[in-house]
Amino acid sequence: NAGVMQNPRHLVRRRGQEARLRCSPMKGHSHVYWYRQLPEEGLKFMVYLQKENIIDESGMPKERFSAEFPKEGPSILRIQQVVRGDSAAYFCASSHPQGSYEQYFGPGTRLTVT
Amino acid sequence: AQSVSQHNHHVILSEAASLELGCNYSYGGTVNLFWYVQYPGQHLQLLLKYFSGDPLVKGIKGFEAEFIKSKFSFNLRKPSVQWSDTAEYFCAVGLTGRRALTFGSGTRLQVQP
C-alpha cells in the first residue's frame, strides 16, 4: 500500500532554469495539495488540485509557479526561472475525495538553487 | 490573517518526563485541528486529529490533545516520553469546508536517554 510518492527527492537548479516536481497520490486519492517549507519555518499551503482542476491556488506566488494534476499521471509543480529564494522543501499531500480532511504527506523534494 | 502559533521551538526532555506542546490559532470559524510528527529522515505523519465531538482526542503512540475552544488552543500531551519520540511536531489548522491547512512553525523535541 504505497504512500504518497514524490520525485526527485533532491533537485539542484541554477538560477534561471526550470524545476519540475512530481507527486503521485496514494491509491484511491484524487485530491492533491502542495506545500512549501522554507528553512526554520512551517509548511505553507500553495495549491489544492483535483483531477484536471485547480480548486484553491490562494497560496501560489503570482508569477513563475504553476501546478497541474492531469487525468493520467502525477501532479506536477513547475517553477520557471528559479531564483535563490525558491530553495526550499516542497511537500505534496493527498486525501480521499470523500469525507475526511486528513492529508497524507510525501517525503518532499528539496530544491536547491545555486 | 489566519495563523497558528507554536510557542516552544525547541524542547529537551529526559525519558519518562511528561510532555506538553502548545498550539494556538487565530481563526474566526469552525476548525479542523491536526498534529503531525516528522521523525528524523522521514516524512510527515498524522499523530491525531480533531473535527468535532469530545475535545480530548487520543492519537497514536500514546499522544493526546485537548481542544479548548475558548482559548483557541490544541495542546499536545504525552505522560511519559521515550527516546524514540525525538522528532519535530507540527500543529495544523484548517477551516471547515476549506481543505488548505495552515501549519505552525514546528517544535523540535529532543528526548535524552
Side-chain angles (χ1 to χ4, degrees):
Chain A
N1 186 13
V4 178
M5 310 287 284
Q6 287 188 251
N7 68 81
R9 294 292 305 277
H10 299 275
L11 182 62
V12 179
R13 285 287 177 267
R14 290 201 175 108
R15 277 180 296 170
Q17 291 185 319
E18 179 179 285
R20 279 185 182 235
L21 288 62
R22 293 174 184 77
C23 169
S24 297
M26 284 179 69
K27 188 176 180 181
H29 288 189
S30 58
H31 295 194
V32 165
Y33 314 80
W34 286 94
Y35 292 83
R36 175 166 64 174
Q37 185 180 28
L38 295 170
E40 305 301 320
E41 294 186 17
L43 281 74
K44 296 281 195 291
F45 169 76
M46 299 179 76
V47 63
Y48 160 39
L49 309 105
Q50 295 176 17
K51 287 280 187 182
E52 300 184 284
N53 281 307
I54 297 174
I55 307 301
D56 181 352
E57 56 181 347
S58 57
M60 284 282 268
K62 293 286 186 282
E63 297 176 346
R64 302 188 296 109
F65 284 72
S66 62
E68 62 177 10
F69 189 16
K71 189 176 180 182
E72 301 291 336
S75 174
I76 302 210
L77 179 68
R78 183 179 174 209
I79 312 172
Q80 295 178 292
Q81 299 175 333
V82 295
V83 301
R84 288 230 172 99
D86 296 333
S87 295
Y90 291 83
F91 290 92
C92 171
S94 71
S95 68
H96 195 273
Q98 304 288 337
S100 170
Y101 285 67
E102 291 176 41
Q103 296 180 20
Y104 294 85
F105 282 80
T109 294
R110 188 163 299 279
L111 171 66
T112 301
V113 179
T114 60
Chain B
Q2 301 148 355
S3 66
V4 178
S5 297
Q6 291 182 245
H7 305 294
N8 314 103
H9 297 294
H10 192 190
V11 173
I12 302 173
L13 295 173
S14 299
E15 275 193 314
S18 64
L19 170 72
E20 180 159 2
L21 301 182
C23 173
N24 288 90
Y25 63 92
S26 62
Y27 276 91
T30 306
V31 294
N32 300 314
L33 299 159
F34 306 85
W35 275 97
Y36 283 87
V37 60
Q38 188 172 28
Y39 297 104
Q42 297 188 27
H43 58 274
L44 281 164
Q45 299 173 39
L46 183 65
L47 258 185
L48 47 77
K49 62 190 184 234
Y50 172 81
F51 294 146
S52 63
D54 188 345
L56 186 60
V57 179
K58 295 198 184 298
I60 60 171
K61 304 187 180 186
F63 286 91
E64 65 179 30
E66 185 175 13
F67 170 48
I68 303 179
K69 189 174 181 180
S70 61
K71 294 185 178 180
F72 298 90
S73 70
F74 189 56
N75 291 356
L76 180 71
R77 300 195 293 247
K78 186 170 183 178
S80 176
V81 295
Q82 302 172 321
W83 178 78
S84 58
D85 293 324
T86 294
E88 189 151 19
Y89 293 80
F90 293 94
C91 178
V93 178
L95 283 176
T96 300
R98 185 164 180 258
R99 290 188 176 244
L101 296 180
T102 300
F103 280 80
S105 56
T107 297
R108 192 176 302 275
L109 172 66
Q110 185 178 344
V111 179
Q112 297 176 331

